[in-house]
Amino acid sequence: MTTLKSLIVLAHPEKRSFNAQMASIAEQVLSRGEEDSARVLDLYGMGFDPVERGEHYANRKDLECFDAQAEQRHAADTDALPQDVRAHLEAVERADLLILQYPLWWYTPPAILKGWLDRVLVYGRAYTGQRRYDRGHFRGKRAMLSVTVGALEPTYRYNGRNGDIVHLLWPLNFTLYYVGFTVLEPFVAYGIEGGLKYSEQSEAVRRLRRCQADFERTLARLDQRPTIPFNGWDDWDEEGRLKPGVPGYSPFMRSDP
Amino acid sequence: MTTLKSLIVLAHPEKRSFNAQMASIAEQVLSRGEEDSARVLDLYGMGFDPVERGEHYANRKDLECFDAQAEQRHAADTDALPQDVRAHLEAVERADLLILQYPLWWYTPPAILKGWLDRVLVYGRAYTGQRRYDRGHFRGKRAMLSVTVGALEPTYRYNGRNGDIVHLLWPLNFTLYYVGFTVLEPFVAYGIEGGLKYSEQSEAVRRLRRCQADFERTLARLDQRPTIPFNGWDDWDEEGRLKPGVPGYSPFMRSDP
């Protein structure tokens, strides 16, 4: 049996952080003892530049006016992708499972991870007008968000002051689906604040260790984890609206009866 | 009568872009002929670094383990903020009105703008545990998102394939409220794709000019623009959940009866 390949993209500035530990746990559990079957892409560690701009493109389509989508497409078509983007894209294409490990900052991923999406999900390669949603480039692969938040779980429920976590994570889950991934329900670690001394035997540290143990169990049973349903091409009319009577899977959507 | 001061934060890599034109329009309309009363912060133009990390902090609280919130607070308390952050924060503090002008990339702001929030909304200065929401640091100031999207308007309705634009813009609108702003309903420009030759007399260019005229009219009448309601401190119980019977203003929220 071929060992599944896993890629864990980590977006945290501190090597000793809870997030970095989670990425390491994922690498260990998912590799199942097989060398090179799981790998961590540490965006901060590798100095990834998340800012999309003309200077990344050596072989511009239009030097007068920079249009990110057009230059991405041109670079993909002429095999002239920026080196770092090519390497990251190839790493994702080789993987069967993608985990994004990050802290929620202002309800969204840190800029370095947002920019990884901006630059690596290349138009013309990771998606096109036709090759998206249920016909997406990464079809057959699975992806899962593993997110840490500072506040406690009740604040992220349907009536919590931070807003429903399902809604908050929707844009990134939908982005993964957009490029073809089967998206597993996210793993969320609540009450994770920085500055903990993990060498101490405090209740806070014990709580975080229990959370990590829960994550290990989750990773060992990903085959049983529910996937998030999304609407596909056939569900929309020519205007891009849900056909009447079709259930809308996004927490935002509802169709006319 | 004192002229209100406006700050327009622009996040687009191309000076000739529709977004850059919109920022320029906002600067002209909002300055009302008074020099220096409106200003554009062109994040790409100034090479803003959106990646939060330890290297930005000259006077670290903890050199062994980088915790962004703790270092932000320490820097704020010791008057040792990174130079660029200090300058941007002061610009926001001087303004009465903040406009964020950007294209939606993967349903969220470009990384350079996400990182502006990560780095400039400093813990200990832009917010604290007590000084947030309806007691936030920027209370009395107004903010508005001005966003461009590539697809047409129907796809961003409650049953559109891209998802309800109100829900998609919620995290950033809520972030602005979190630090105290009164948030005006966003201005959204639909069907904005790159690469248009503005010197040409095409139907697409005419449509974009109508959109810009609409934006001018909007900017001239901001006093009449509806504000987005949010829940405040008094609406939540000790667990951070909406008290029963209290209306939840976020599109995500609903309270128990």
Side-chain angles (χ1 to χ4, degrees):
Chain A
M1 187 182 100
T2 323
T3 304
L4 296 181
K5 293 208 180 311
S6 303
L7 183 69
I8 301 116
V9 177
L10 168 66
H12 198 287
E14 174 52 57
K15 288 194 193 325
R16 294 177 183 76
S17 63
F18 181 84
N19 270 273
Q21 293 175 32
M22 294 285 271
S24 180
I25 286 169
E27 186 182 21
Q28 288 165 43
V29 174
L30 295 170
S31 68
R32 294 186 170 81
E34 289 230 20
E35 215 177 308
D36 295 337
S37 63
R39 178 186 168 194
V40 176
L41 268 189
D42 176 354
L43 296 184
Y44 269 92
M46 59 203 337
F48 181 75
D49 179 359
V51 181
E52 177 64 304
R53 60 181 125 215
E55 287 79 359
H56 290 307
Y57 297 88
N59 187 24
R60 288 277 295 271
K61 177 181 184 183
D62 183 342
L63 277 161
E64 305 240 328
C65 191
F66 177 72
D67 168 17
Q69 265 198 335
E71 295 296 346
Q72 288 186 356
R73 177 121 216 190
H74 181 66
D77 289 348
T78 59
D79 197 30
L81 287 174
Q83 277 192 354
D84 53 353
V85 168
R86 175 202 303 273
H88 287 237
L89 199 37
E90 287 175 354
V92 180
E93 288 169 341
R94 275 196 304 270
D96 303 293
L97 172 71
L98 173 69
I99 308 260
L100 301 184
Q101 178 67 55
Y102 65 97
L104 213 62
W105 288 354
W106 298 112
Y107 307 104
T108 48
I112 202 171
L113 179 56
K114 177 59 208 328
W116 187 81
L117 303 169
D118 291 344
R119 294 192 58 218
V120 175
L121 299 184
V122 169
Y123 182 54
R125 172 97 167 246
Y127 74 103
T128 64
Q130 290 304 307
R131 205 163 73 244
R132 50 183 172 158
Y133 309 128
D134 45 337
R135 298 175 198 161
H137 182 63
F138 298 112
R139 192 164 61 165
K141 299 180 190 297
R142 292 173 305 164
M144 185 178 83
L145 304 183
S146 176
V147 181
T148 69
V149 297
L152 298 175
E153 189 266 344
T155 68
Y156 284 98
R157 289 186 206 161
Y158 66 90
N159 59 356
R161 62 177 169 78
N162 282 312
D164 189 329
I165 191 69
V166 172
H167 290 77
L168 291 172
L169 296 182
W170 178 260
L172 188 32
N173 278 325
F174 189 65
T175 293
L176 291 168
Y177 164 70
Y178 190 106
V179 292
F181 285 98
T182 297
V183 187
L184 305 178
E185 283 191 353
F187 184 90
V188 184
Y190 296 95
I192 307 301
E193 293 180 320
L196 269 194
K197 301 300 178 198
Y198 288 94
S199 52
E200 292 173 3
Q201 294 302 315
S202 64
E203 176 51 35
V205 171
R206 278 193 292 272
R207 185 165 57 76
L208 294 201
R209 294 294 181 220
R210 285 195 295 272
C211 180
Q212 289 175 343
D214 190 20
F215 187 49
E216 285 184 51
R217 281 189 295 272
T218 296
L219 291 166
R221 303 182 304 201
L222 284 182
D223 287 348
Q224 298 163 44
R225 195 164 186 77
T227 60
I228 301 174
F230 293 90
N231 290 99
W233 277 112
D234 291 344
D235 295 342
W236 298 307
D237 64 19
E238 329 69 57
E239 273 202 313
R241 308 190 73 180
L242 269 185
K243 292 171 180 167
V246 173
Y249 289 119
S250 120
F252 300 174
M253 260 194 254
R254 54 189 172 81
S255 57
D256 293 323
Chain B
M1 186 183 103
T2 321
T3 304
L4 296 181
K5 293 207 179 312
S6 303
L7 183 69
I8 302 114
V9 177
L10 168 65
H12 199 287
E14 174 53 57
K15 288 193 191 325
R16 294 174 183 78
S17 63
F18 181 85
N19 271 273
Q21 294 175 32
M22 294 286 270
S24 180
I25 287 168
E27 187 182 21
Q28 288 166 40
V29 174
L30 295 170
S31 67
R32 293 185 171 84
E34 288 231 19
E35 215 176 310
D36 294 336
S37 64
R39 178 186 168 195
V40 176
L41 268 190
D42 177 354
L43 298 184
Y44 270 91
M46 58 202 339
F48 181 76
D49 178 359
V51 182
E52 177 64 305
R53 60 182 123 215
E55 288 77 1
H56 290 308
Y57 297 89
N59 187 24
R60 288 277 294 270
K61 176 181 184 183
D62 183 343
L63 277 160
E64 306 242 330
C65 192
F66 177 72
D67 168 17
Q69 265 198 335
E71 294 297 344
Q72 287 185 358
R73 178 119 217 193
H74 181 66
D77 290 348
T78 59
D79 197 31
L81 287 174
Q83 276 190 355
D84 53 353
V85 167
R86 175 202 300 275
H88 286 238
L89 200 36
E90 285 174 356
V92 180
E93 287 169 343
R94 275 196 303 269
D96 303 292
L97 172 70
L98 173 69
I99 307 260
L100 301 185
Q101 179 66 55
Y102 64 97
L104 214 62
W105 287 355
W106 297 113
Y107 308 104
T108 48
I112 203 171
L113 179 56
K114 176 59 207 329
W116 186 81
L117 303 169
D118 291 343
R119 294 192 58 219
V120 174
L121 299 184
V122 170
Y123 182 54
R125 171 96 167 246
Y127 74 103
T128 64
Q130 289 305 308
R131 205 165 71 243
R132 51 183 172 157
Y133 310 127
D134 44 336
R135 299 175 198 159
H137 182 63
F138 297 113
R139 194 163 60 165
K141 299 179 189 299
R142 292 173 303 164
M144 186 177 85
L145 304 183
S146 176
V147 181
T148 68
V149 297
L152 298 175
E153 189 267 342
T155 67
Y156 283 98
R157 290 185 206 161
Y158 66 89
N159 58 356
R161 62 178 169 78
N162 282 311
D164 190 328
I165 192 70
V166 172
H167 291 76
L168 291 172
L169 297 181
W170 179 261
L172 187 30
N173 278 325
F174 189 64
T175 293
L176 291 167
Y177 163 69
Y178 191 107
V179 292
F181 284 98
T182 296
V183 187
L184 305 178
E185 283 193 353
F187 184 90
V188 185
Y190 296 94
I192 308 300
E193 292 180 319
L196 267 194
K197 300 299 177 200
Y198 289 95
S199 52
E200 291 173 5
Q201 294 302 317
S202 63
E203 176 50 37
V205 171
R206 278 193 292 273
R207 185 166 57 78
L208 295 200
R209 293 294 180 219
R210 286 195 295 271
C211 180
Q212 287 174 342
D214 189 19
F215 188 50
E216 285 183 50
R217 283 188 295 270
T218 297
L219 291 166
R221 304 182 304 200
L222 284 182
D223 286 348
Q224 297 162 46
R225 194 164 187 78
T227 60
I228 301 173
F230 294 90
N231 290 99
W233 279 112
D234 292 341
D235 296 341
W236 298 308
D237 64 20
E238 328 71 58
E239 273 202 312
R241 308 191 73 182
L242 269 184
K243 292 172 181 169
V246 173
Y249 289 120
S250 121
F252 299 174
M253 260 194 253
R254 53 188 172 82
S255 57
D256 293 322

